[in-house]
Amino acid sequence: VQLQASGGGVVQAGGSLRLSCAGSGRTLSIYNMGWFRQAAGKEREFVCAIKWMGTSALYADSVQGRFTISRDNAKNMVYLQMNSLKPEDTAVYYCAAGPQPYQARLSRTAEDYDDWGQGTQVTVSS
């Protein structure tokens, strides 16, 4: 599946952004989806993930309560609503799709995701 992330930009601390991830080539509706981020000079890190049915989600401690992942399977889209942004949220954000359909378990590990979007830059100024 091809993934296209969008919605990044520059925002002041305390502000909000909504990232979108559009899928093409095949349906996303049967795959767990994740968001990861990579800040300059740092390793890629897990942000959040959502079950293929949209019934459960998993968040990194650093974004819990501020970020919300959602999906619209009819539109083949996944979203990341980011509120109360902090300068440490500055990174390139990537969406990713799980390798197998109907996976029961959500993963925080990048190696458990097969398809990746190109990333969208989020910059939070202080």
Side-chain angles (χ1 to χ4, degrees):
V1 62
Q2 289 77 46
L3 300 173
Q4 179 79 29
S6 62
V10 180
V11 63
Q12 287 190 332
S16 299
L17 280 175
R18 187 195 195 204
L19 305 185
S20 298
C21 177
S24 61
R26 53 185 163 100
T27 181
L28 298 182
S29 65
I30 59 176
Y31 296 93
N32 294 347
M33 296 294 298
W35 284 96
F36 289 76
R37 67 187 182 187
Q38 187 167 16
K42 296 187 177 181
E43 294 187 353
R44 189 169 299 190
E45 65 172 355
F46 171 78
V47 177
C48 57
I50 188 167
K51 201 81 170 287
W52 58 275
M53 291 179 67
T55 51
S56 62
L58 190 64
Y59 295 91
D61 290 345
S62 57
V63 307
Q64 181 78 48
R66 299 188 298 120
F67 290 12
T68 303
I69 188 172
S70 62
R71 65 191 304 160
D72 186 336
N73 285 339
K75 295 182 178 179
N76 225 28
M77 297 287 293
V78 179
Y79 305 100
L80 179 61
Q81 178 65 44
M82 305 186 295
N83 298 329
S84 302
L85 283 162
K86 304 175 181 180
E88 50 264 43
D89 294 319
T90 295
V92 177
Y93 284 71
Y94 300 88
C95 58
Q100 301 296 333
Y102 311 115
Q103 280 183 295
R105 184 182 65 87
L106 287 170
S107 174
R108 299 173 181 266
T109 304
E111 288 73 17
D112 288 337
Y113 295 83
D114 256 6
D115 297 305
W116 292 79
Q118 86 293 354
T120 184
Q121 175 71 46
V122 172
T123 302
V124 184
S125 61
S126 57

